[in-house]
Amino acid sequence: MNRGFYTIMAAQFFSSLADNALLFVAISLLVAMDAPASLTPLLKLSFVLFYVLLAAFVGAFADALPKGRVMFIANIIKVFGCALMFFTIHPLISYAVVGFGAAVYSPAKYGILTELLPPEKLVPANGWIEGLTVMSIILGTVLGGTLVSERGTAFLLSFDTFASLGLTTGAEAAMAVVVGIYLLAALFNLRIPDTGARYEHQERNPAKLIADFANCSATLWRDKLGQISLAVTTLFWGAGATLQFIVLKWAERSLGMPLDKATNLIGVVAIGVALGAAMAARMIPLRKSLTVIPMGIIMGLVVTSMVFVHSVTVAYPLLALIGFLSGFFVVPMNALLQHRGHVLMSAGHSIAVQNFNENLSILVMLAAYAVMITLNLDLDIIIVIFGLSVAGIMLLIQRRHTLNQREHDSLGLIGEGKH
């Protein structure tokens, strides 16, 4: 990997670190407002909303400019969204603006990998990016939990710097720290090299952009490899976002842990994902990527065992195992999807299609979770429904791949160059 790749990794790490820390700052603001419990998952829902609404447009934007510049612009939007919280704008609205920046950021972040690296390096590259993203989740959740804790608030307000800036509350000081991390990510964005990749003139007519996006989406879903990898990653991101809130609620109810302590459990899941991602990057070549599908089935079944756990000692290894299985099967699938998208269309457009499907999954699954919470459904029932649904859908995906292979050996398409 060259220096440009590591610069991209640094920019991604700090931007994701701020995203995750800000989530828990926003949750603490909702708690301080005595907001209903159903609003907490809606916070994440507001973040991913623009991934779906802007899917037809952000791919063209990512391909219209050097991707380092696109990532810089996106981070500035995130800074603006975070700053809105200083002016008592509702956390749902402020976090949605940050999500707008993230939606712009994502096609450039992943698309630049296919411009910078050959196909055989995409699995290791995804191991890097997923590993660092997971590390940022670990540190971001710990940082967010620390910033909103009583001890963290007292520590921040002990600095005269915050007082001189007119920041008098712990929430304001915490948001200032997050803004600083976003600005650091923006500085790394400015150092990302221009890969030299240029695409033909990008369409600006909204109707034509939507039609082009629909065509790209249909192309990926029709492709025998694209449909399998897209289905897996779509399920993974929806399940991952929902599991984050299930774990927080489970920690409170079954383990008796407050929010600032429960964030450590999210970090444990993230550690497991990092280990699984690292092992997959080392063991699974691109041509063997589809062999990891059974891991997703096992992961869904393991999740259901959470209902029997009421001890922190058992909770840590269980969540680490869930994370490990997740990381091991999603990294090869992500690499395969990026490869097929790059072969079939441009990098930015293929990632935009991926983002649309994955974040639509997040919206649907979080909305379903919020409805179940509103209906006061028992948490154990929610966990069982969630785990069995994931395992069942992964089983259907595996059967679909088996049927595809009976019709035609699609594995020979892996590694082919762009036509």
Side-chain angles (χ1 to χ4, degrees), residues 15-362:
S15 186
S16 180
L17 176 70
D19 288 345
N20 286 281
L22 182 60
L23 172 62
F24 293 98
V25 174
I27 290 174
S28 71
L29 289 174
L30 288 180
V31 172
M33 295 165 57
D34 291 324
S38 59
L39 283 189
T40 301
L42 295 184
L43 195 62
K44 186 74 173 182
L45 190 148
S46 72
F47 181 84
V48 303
L49 181 63
F50 283 106
Y51 277 93
V52 176
L53 296 180
L54 299 179
F57 312 104
V58 292
F61 181 66
D63 288 337
L65 299 172
K67 291 183 171 53
R69 192 185 308 171
V70 174
M71 293 163 75
F72 174 79
I73 293 170
N75 260 321
I76 296 303
I77 295 173
K78 290 182 179 183
V79 170
F80 174 71
C82 188
L84 288 177
M85 293 188 190
F86 287 108
F87 301 100
T88 65
I89 303 297
H90 197 283
L92 287 175
I93 297 174
S94 302
Y95 205 51
V97 175
V98 176
F100 175 85
V104 174
Y105 192 96
S106 188
K109 172 185 72 176
Y110 284 106
I112 197 172
L113 294 181
T114 56
E115 296 176 357
L116 197 67
L117 303 170
E120 63 269 15
K121 285 195 173 184
L122 284 178
V123 173
N126 271 274
W128 266 94
I129 202 167
E130 296 300 336
L132 284 176
T133 298
V134 165
M135 190 182 297
S136 71
I137 293 173
I138 297 169
L139 296 178
T141 52
V142 173
L143 176 62
T146 302
L147 290 175
V148 301
S149 67
E150 292 183 6
R151 184 176 297 179
T153 296
F155 176 75
L156 290 177
L157 295 180
S158 67
F159 289 94
D160 294 334
T161 304
F162 291 107
S164 63
L165 293 174
L167 308 179
T168 57
T169 68
E172 290 176 339
M175 286 184 285
V177 172
V178 174
V179 167
I181 299 173
Y182 277 132
L183 292 175
L184 180 59
L187 291 177
F188 277 103
N189 293 147
L190 293 175
R191 303 293 298 173
I192 293 174
D194 186 349
T195 63
R198 294 292 183 270
Y199 303 94
E200 61 186 35
H201 177 69
Q202 298 300 309
E203 182 60 63
R204 296 185 179 182
N205 183 297
K208 290 183 178 179
L209 280 171
I210 292 172
D212 182 50
F213 173 79
N215 180 59
C216 290
S217 184
T219 298
L220 262 182
W221 278 114
R222 282 195 301 264
D223 183 72
K224 298 302 183 183
L225 293 177
Q227 63 182 222
I228 300 301
S229 54
L230 185 54
V232 171
T233 58
T234 295
L235 175 64
F236 171 82
W237 289 108
T242 309
L243 183 63
Q244 189 176 43
F245 291 97
I246 288 176
V247 168
L248 290 175
K249 192 74 175 176
W250 175 69
E252 176 191 352
R253 201 206 70 170
S254 298
L255 306 178
M257 301 174 71
L259 176 63
D260 59 320
K261 302 294 184 184
T263 55
N264 293 335
L265 295 180
I266 305 296
V268 170
V269 177
I271 290 173
V273 174
L275 293 174
M279 185 169 290
R282 194 174 187 86
M283 295 177 57
I284 309 296
L286 190 63
R287 290 186 178 276
K288 299 289 186 181
S289 53
L290 289 162
T291 61
V292 302
I293 292 178
M295 290 291 187
I297 301 173
I298 296 171
M299 188 271 285
L301 296 176
V302 172
V303 166
T304 61
S305 66
M306 289 171 59
V307 300
F308 304 109
V309 176
H310 301 280
S311 165
V312 175
T313 305
V314 179
Y316 278 96
L318 175 64
L319 294 177
L321 175 61
I322 292 171
F324 177 85
L325 294 169
S326 302
F328 194 86
F329 83 80
V330 79
V331 164
M333 289 289 99
N334 213 33
L336 178 60
L337 181 56
Q338 287 174 20
H339 170 60
R340 290 306 295 163
H342 182 62
V343 169
L344 297 170
M345 62 198 74
S346 70
H349 284 73
S350 66
I351 300 300
V353 171
Q354 181 179 350
N355 283 341
F356 173 80
N357 285 277
E358 291 172 358
N359 288 283
L360 184 60
S361 172
I362 292 174

Side-chain angles (χ1 to χ4, degrees), residues 366-388:
L366 282 178
Y369 174 65
V371 169
M372 287 188 284
I373 290 294
T374 303
L375 295 175
N376 292 319
L377 203 63
D378 186 78
L379 184 61
D380 285 347
I381 295 176
I382 294 175
I383 291 172
V384 171
I385 291 173
F386 174 79
L388 292 181

